Amino acid sequence: MRCSIALAAITAFAGSALGRVYYEETFSDPDSINNFKPSKAREDNGAIKLSPGKWYADEENSVGLQLVDDARFYGYAAKLKRPFNTKGKDFVVQFTVKYEQDIDCGGAYLKLLPPTLDPAEFDGDSSYDVMFGPDICGSTNRRVHAIINYNNTNSQIDKVIQPRGDQLTHQYTFWVKPDKTFEIRIDNKVQDEGKVEDFWKVLPEKQIPDPDAKKPEDWVDGPAMIEDTEDEKPSDWVDGPETIPDADAKKPEDWDDDMDGDWDPPMIANPEYKGVWKPQMIKNPEYKGEWTAPLIDNPDYEDDEDLAVFNIGYVGLDVWTVKSGTIFSNILITDDIDYASEFGNRTWADYMEAEIEAKKVVDEAEAKKLEEEREAKKAEEEEKAKAKAKKGDEDDESNVTDDSAAEKDTAADEDELEVDDDAKEQKRANVEDEDDSESVESAEEDTAAAEEDSKDEEPVKKEKEPVEQKDEPAEKEDDDAEDDAKAAAAKAKAERKAAKKAAKKAAAEEAKRAAEKAAEAAKRAEEEDDEEDEEDVVHDEL
């Protein structure tokens, strides 16, 4: 009997010394995710799963509750093993968070909820006793929330504690002691500590300024510095003028006083000038500082034993995140800080070095993959550039060939046109030759006719001469001279016309010879084009 009583006493003492665990979850059991009941208050509740993440020190130990969907609210609650009223006890909430997705905006805090919570109705407006954990959104909006509820009012800690925003697992601990002091730790290092009432402004101030106090009449609250009335300006102090005429300046030789006016030397800075003299400043011996009313005890202040006393029945997840991937694990609620430290070492600290190495391996693999992708893309772009350049060269060669062929075709066309023109010219020449021949023949005929007419006119003249000689001898001589002149003029005209026709005929013959040469050149060009076409056909076949 005595042995049983003694054993019971030892067990009770040991339990009291070790404290109690009200909630402990490492997610090593695949069914542990079922303890977190989804809220039905929102239809777009994000999904959760168990996962160790992409890198880890130990796969089984690193499993946690992971947020699956991007840009979602998450509302889940799990019931504690037993309700936890913290009055007169230490209160410790501790858990680990890994922002695997390289967080840009998302919360990773827990809410500790009263035993009266209905998990199905859990949402952002549900009452809670404590909200604790990191919250990150952008580069400036970052803090560790530490909110406590007092008299149905939520109060944030009066100091910003920076969270850890890398992609490794970090441990967050909030410890409230029975004497109303606290500690907040990250990775077992204290970030802040002190009295609850000093960091959470939930109670009235212990002391307040005396509302009945008045500033004494002789109180001097300014200025703090005054001029030294005993200070005197030195005898050699030059306080003006700032500028003086340049003594070395000379009037220009071409300066005309009558035209330009009186000449004044330019002004320069006075080397002896020291500025306006002022007495030095000294402390005001009568200055007492800004007056404030003395502090007195606040009659409204009353210490509250229930400050930072919590009544907890559930642990809840009520967060929003832009990118999914956050992993919660190793959640612990206890009244024993020593056990919390041992639990943290066993589930988190002992694996951190290995996790860091695992992350390095992943980073190196990803860096190598990115480098290979960059190299592959670079090689692909270079190949495309080469192919494009090659195609451009081929197009240039084709254009050159086309241009050469076009030039030859153009030349051939021009030769043909020249031949046609020459042929036309030759035709015109032939016509002109015929005309010239006819003209020459006509001219010759005209000349012969003229001569014949002359001959015919002579007998007539001769027949008439007796009559004329008989009647007017002088007039006959004049008529004979005139007829001879006319005959000579007609002959000269006929000869000029014949010479002109002969010249045209010679030009026509010369044009004909040029046309024949051009035709021969065109024929040779056409034969050369045919030979080149045959070579192109052979080249294409090859």
Side-chain angles (χ1 to χ4, degrees):
M1 182 66 178
R2 291 180 179 177
C3 291
S4 299
I5 294 173
L7 181 60
I10 293 172
T11 303
F13 175 78
S16 176
L18 293 175
R20 302 184 72 174
V21 173
Y22 298 87
Y23 187 83
E24 181 178 312
E25 185 59 80
T26 62
F27 298 101
S28 57
D29 183 354
D31 294 330
S32 59
I33 193 172
N34 298 325
N35 295 329
F36 278 80
K37 306 299 181 183
S39 171
K40 296 181 181 179
R42 299 182 63 96
E43 295 181 357
D44 59 345
N45 202 11
I48 57 176
K49 69 177 182 179
L50 297 183
S51 173
K54 298 177 182 178
W55 57 87
Y56 42 80
D58 179 82
E59 182 174 4
E60 181 178 355
N61 181 77
S62 301
V63 171
L65 187 151
Q66 186 174 42
L67 309 185
V68 175
D69 297 321
D70 292 340
R72 290 291 184 88
F73 284 98
Y74 290 83
Y76 292 85
K79 191 174 184 179
L80 272 59
K81 294 179 180 179
R82 59 184 65 84
F84 182 16
N85 188 291
T86 67
K87 188 170 184 177
K89 300 177 183 178
D90 288 282
F91 160 72
V92 181
V93 57
Q94 179 174 281
F95 62 100
T96 61
V97 172
K98 178 164 70 171
Y99 280 123
E100 185 177 77
Q101 73 277 40
D102 192 13
I103 189 67
D104 54 355
C105 187
Y109 43 82
L110 297 179
K111 287 185 175 181
L112 304 184
L113 309 155
T116 56
L117 174 77
D118 180 1
E121 301 298 326
F122 175 46
D123 61 14
D125 294 328
S126 298
S127 176
Y128 61 86
D129 280 29
V130 177
M131 180 174 129
F132 175 66
D135 192 7
I136 294 175
C137 197
S139 59
T140 57
N141 191 6
R142 296 172 171 237
R143 73 176 304 158
V144 176
H145 290 298
I147 301 174
I148 64 174
N149 183 285
Y150 179 73
N151 290 339
N152 296 321
T153 301
N154 296 326
S155 179
Q156 177 78 272
I157 186 173
D158 193 20
K159 183 175 181 180
V160 175
I161 300 174
Q162 291 295 324
R164 304 296 179 263
D166 57 39
Q167 294 175 276
L168 297 173
T169 302
H170 294 280
Q171 179 176 269
Y172 293 83
T173 306
F174 185 21
W175 174 24
V176 179
K177 307 171 188 179
D179 63 356
K180 313 303 180 186
T181 60
F182 78 98
E183 284 185 16
I184 291 178
R185 303 175 181 178
I186 300 178
D187 297 343
N188 288 335
K189 295 180 180 178
V190 176
Q191 304 298 305
D192 218 331
E193 60 182 334
K195 292 183 179 180
V196 172
E197 63 180 296
D198 293 339
F199 285 79
W200 284 267
K201 304 302 182 182
V202 294
L203 295 177
E205 296 290 342
K206 286 184 176 181
Q207 290 187 318
I208 60 173
D210 184 358
D212 298 327
K214 295 182 180 180
K215 183 172 71 172
E217 294 182 359
D218 61 346
W219 186 276
V220 178
D221 52 8
M225 302 291 289
I226 60 174
E227 293 182 351
D228 185 359
T229 57
E230 298 180 358
D231 192 16
E232 295 181 358
K233 182 172 72 172
S235 58
D236 60 347
W237 186 275
V238 177
D239 53 7
E242 293 185 33
T243 59
I244 58 174
D246 185 0
D248 296 331
K250 295 182 180 180
K251 183 170 70 173
E253 294 180 357
D254 58 349
W255 187 275
D256 189 336
D257 291 339
D258 295 334
M259 297 295 294
D260 301 327
D262 293 337
W263 180 81
D264 294 320
M267 303 298 288
I268 61 173
N270 185 352
E272 298 180 356
Y273 176 71
K274 297 181 180 181
V276 178
W277 183 86
K278 293 181 181 180
Q280 63 179 351
M281 302 298 289
I282 60 174
K283 291 183 179 181
N284 184 352
E286 298 180 355
Y287 176 71
K288 297 182 179 181
E290 184 179 354
W291 182 85
T292 58
L295 296 176
I296 61 173
D297 291 337
N298 185 357
D300 296 329
Y301 174 79
E302 184 178 353
D303 190 15
D304 188 353
E305 293 182 357
D306 290 334
L307 175 64
V309 172
F310 313 118
N311 191 28
I312 306 167
Y314 287 86
V315 55
L317 185 65
D318 176 35
V319 298
W320 157 268
T321 187
V322 175
K323 291 196 298 185
S324 61
T326 305
I327 298 176
F328 297 82
S329 192
N330 306 318
I331 303 173
L332 176 68
I333 299 175
T334 181
D335 58 12
D336 188 345
I337 188 62
D338 293 330
Y339 178 76
S341 298
E342 185 274 327
F343 177 80
N345 292 334
R346 172 164 44 89
T347 59
W348 169 78
D350 292 348
Y351 294 93
M352 278 314 298
E353 290 186 7
E355 181 179 322
I356 292 172
E357 292 301 320
K359 180 67 168 60
K360 287 182 180 180
V361 172
V362 172
D363 290 344
E364 290 173 358
E366 289 182 353
K368 183 178 180 181
K369 181 180 178 181
L370 289 175
E371 182 63 25
E372 290 175 351
E373 290 176 352
R374 281 195 294 268
E375 291 296 329
K377 185 176 182 180
K378 182 179 178 182
E380 181 181 357
E381 291 175 351
E382 290 177 352
E383 288 297 325
K384 287 182 179 179
K386 290 180 180 178
K388 185 176 181 181
K390 183 177 180 181
K391 186 176 185 301
D393 293 340
E394 292 176 353
D395 291 342
D396 292 341
E397 292 178 0
S398 176
N399 292 335
V400 170
T401 303
D402 293 342
D403 293 342
S404 300
E407 290 176 359
K408 291 179 179 178
D409 292 341
T410 302
D413 292 340
E414 292 176 353
D415 291 340
E416 290 178 0
L417 290 174
E418 290 178 0
V419 171
D420 291 341
D421 293 340
D422 292 340
K424 291 178 181 179
E425 184 66 26
Q426 181 62 35
K427 186 176 180 180
R428 285 195 298 270
N430 292 336
V431 172
E432 290 177 355
D433 289 343
E434 293 177 359
D435 294 339
D436 291 341
S437 299
E438 292 177 358
S439 299
V440 171
E441 293 176 357
S442 176
E444 291 176 352
E445 292 176 357
D446 293 339
T447 304
E451 292 177 354
E452 196 66 33
D453 291 338
S454 299
K455 292 179 180 180
D456 293 337
E457 288 177 355
E458 288 178 357
V460 172
K461 290 178 180 179
K462 289 178 179 180
E463 290 177 356
K464 292 180 178 180
E465 283 176 357
V467 176
E468 293 175 354
Q469 289 177 353
K470 187 177 180 178
D471 298 330
E472 297 176 358
E475 291 180 1
K476 179 182 178 183
E477 292 179 358
D478 293 337
D479 291 339
D480 291 340
E482 184 178 353
D483 291 339
D484 291 340
K486 289 181 177 179
K491 184 176 181 180
K493 180 178 179 181
E495 289 177 352
R496 287 197 300 274
K497 189 174 182 180
K500 184 177 180 182
K501 296 295 184 180
K504 287 185 177 181
K505 183 178 180 181
E509 291 177 351
E510 182 65 24
K512 183 177 180 181
R513 287 193 296 272
E516 290 174 351
K517 291 182 180 180
E520 292 177 0
K523 186 176 181 180
R524 286 196 301 271
E526 184 177 359
E527 290 175 353
E528 290 176 357
D529 289 341
D530 292 339
E531 291 177 358
E532 289 180 357
D533 291 339
E534 291 176 0
E535 291 177 357
D536 291 339
V537 171
V538 173
H539 180 270
D540 293 338
E541 291 176 354
L542 291 175

